[in-house]
Amino acid sequence: MQAISLIIVDDHEIIREGLKAAFQKDPDFQIAGEAACGRELLQLLKTTTADVVLLDDRLPGESGIDLCASLTRQYPTLKVIILTAYGEQRDSIVKAATVGARGFLLKNVPLPALRHAIKSVARGEVVIDPQVAIHLIASLKEMPPAKATPTSLLTPQQEAIARLVAQGFTNREIAQQLYLSTNTVKFHVQNLLRKLEVRNRVALANKLQEVSGSFTKKQDSP
């Protein structure tokens, strides 16, 4: 197995030296370089290739996550693991995943776990620190449930009928377009009025128009 090449990015020299010392003794890894900031890293990558970057999430004057976004755009094959001292940052975790980070770990992760995480990321997997995952799940549980929109309450057939009602078609015209009986359409329209808490077709069309521009109203139908 070829050694995994690493670049270590942290503004604290003691952390860089500690990580270098740990991985230089392991034949599964090779230190390709180090950097104290984003500028140094980008300069290094002009002449150096690596498999994985260990990236501090808070660098002087810049965000490690924003830097990660630049890295994944410029070097699509480069895999980035974010190292953080703060496991409670739900927004940061989500943003890191969005911009292409392949891992999100606490800085106090044990070395055996860090080695395993790097190998997993190098294989194409995604890793997240268990403590970070606990905070993430807990914060998601505290979020209020998403409010249902009027159209989310409808079945696909009811939504199709609602669109035609909003466009001013009569029950008979809707039945012809959807290959349904007029009575079936009438039944669904009554259900639509009840579900959306409106009294008539005009109010139904207006309510649908408020929540979605795709429900274009062409004409009022009695």
Side-chain angles (χ1 to χ4, degrees):
M1 176 182 173
Q2 186 175 359
I4 299 169
S5 57
L6 300 174
I7 293 178
I8 300 167
V9 186
D10 197 292
D11 58 312
H12 294 97
E13 183 178 5
I14 190 171
I15 292 178
R16 298 198 309 273
E17 292 299 323
L19 289 172
K20 282 165 54 181
F23 287 110
Q24 283 173 339
K25 300 175 183 178
D26 192 325
D28 291 338
F29 301 94
Q30 175 187 352
I31 302 299
E34 62 177 290
C37 63
R39 180 182 55 79
E40 289 184 10
L41 173 61
L42 295 174
Q43 189 65 32
L44 176 64
L45 287 171
K46 291 180 180 180
T47 57
T48 305
T49 60
D51 299 312
V52 177
V53 172
L54 299 179
L55 178 60
D56 185 6
D57 72 328
R58 295 191 179 188
L59 296 169
E62 62 187 326
S63 161
I65 295 175
D66 290 339
L67 179 57
C68 175
S70 298
L71 292 176
T72 53
R73 283 196 303 268
Q74 296 180 53
Y75 306 96
T77 61
L78 186 63
K79 298 176 176 66
V80 179
I81 296 176
I82 301 290
L83 297 178
T84 181
Y86 310 93
E88 304 87 357
Q89 308 173 93
R90 186 193 72 211
D91 292 343
S92 294
I93 300 166
V94 173
K95 185 177 180 182
T98 302
V99 301
R102 306 298 293 177
F104 201 94
L105 301 174
L106 290 177
K107 283 188 173 182
N108 63 0
V109 60
L111 275 174
L114 179 56
R115 290 189 181 97
H116 179 74
I118 294 171
K119 290 178 180 179
S120 297
V121 166
R123 290 195 300 267
E125 300 174 20
V126 175
V127 296
I128 183 169
D129 191 287
Q131 291 301 313
V132 174
I134 289 172
H135 288 299
L136 178 60
I137 293 171
S139 65
L140 290 175
K141 286 182 178 179
E142 295 172 0
M143 293 178 64
K147 293 182 179 179
T149 62
T151 54
S152 69
L153 303 173
L154 308 182
T155 66
Q157 188 174 70
Q158 286 175 335
E159 184 172 342
I161 292 172
R163 289 180 182 277
L164 295 173
V165 169
Q167 292 173 16
F169 290 98
T170 65
N171 287 351
R172 183 176 179 180
E173 290 169 334
I174 294 172
Q176 291 173 343
Q177 290 201 36
L178 299 181
Y179 302 101
L180 299 171
S181 70
T182 303
N183 285 337
T184 297
V185 173
K186 183 177 180 181
F187 171 77
H188 279 304
V189 170
Q190 292 301 317
N191 275 339
L192 288 169
L193 297 176
R194 177 180 54 79
K195 278 188 174 184
L196 301 181
E197 299 178 344
V198 292
R199 291 174 176 261
N200 53 51
R201 299 166 76 97
V202 174
L204 172 62
N206 288 335
K207 186 160 189 176
L208 292 173
Q209 183 67 18
E210 289 176 4
V211 298
S212 175
S214 61
F215 288 91
T216 304
K217 184 180 175 185
K218 291 184 178 178
Q219 63 183 48
D220 291 338
S221 179

